[in-house]
Amino acid sequence: TQVHLPVSRGDARQRHHPGLDALATFVRVAALRSFTQAASQLGIPKARASALVARLEQELGAPLLQRSTRTVRPTPEGEALL
């Protein structure tokens, strides 16, 4: 599920907000400690979830998740963002 917000109070149309999608994906990955499970719940490919989080990390200039072959967990910077 992607995050959508109304454009303005008087406008019922909704638009895509990539920054919020990336943040929502990060929060879900951190909560589940799994890109695979988060992507499944969000209805997006795992590669897309990974790319969204990587873009957020790049924009913020800090690693948000510590990744290994078996686990994903928030870094101190990631914990602060949560």
Side-chain angles (χ1 to χ4, degrees):
T1 307
Q2 294 182 346
V3 176
H4 295 278
L5 297 174
V7 175
S8 70
R9 255 191 184 166
D11 190 350
R13 293 176 297 155
Q14 294 183 344
R15 294 203 178 145
H16 174 71
H17 294 276
L20 292 178
D21 287 346
L23 184 58
T25 301
F26 161 71
V27 169
R28 187 70 56 99
V29 170
L32 297 172
R33 297 188 181 235
S34 167
F35 277 95
T36 302
Q37 289 178 12
S40 177
Q41 285 189 9
L42 293 168
I44 60 174
K46 182 174 129 180
R48 174 85 176 128
S50 180
L52 284 167
V53 172
R55 187 179 76 210
L56 182 62
E57 290 175 319
Q58 185 176 24
E59 288 176 7
L60 296 176
L64 301 175
L65 296 170
Q66 183 176 26
R67 301 155 174 89
S68 74
T69 55
R70 294 188 170 241
T71 187
V72 176
R73 62 185 178 153
T75 62
E77 296 86 356
E79 287 287 350
L81 185 58
L82 291 170

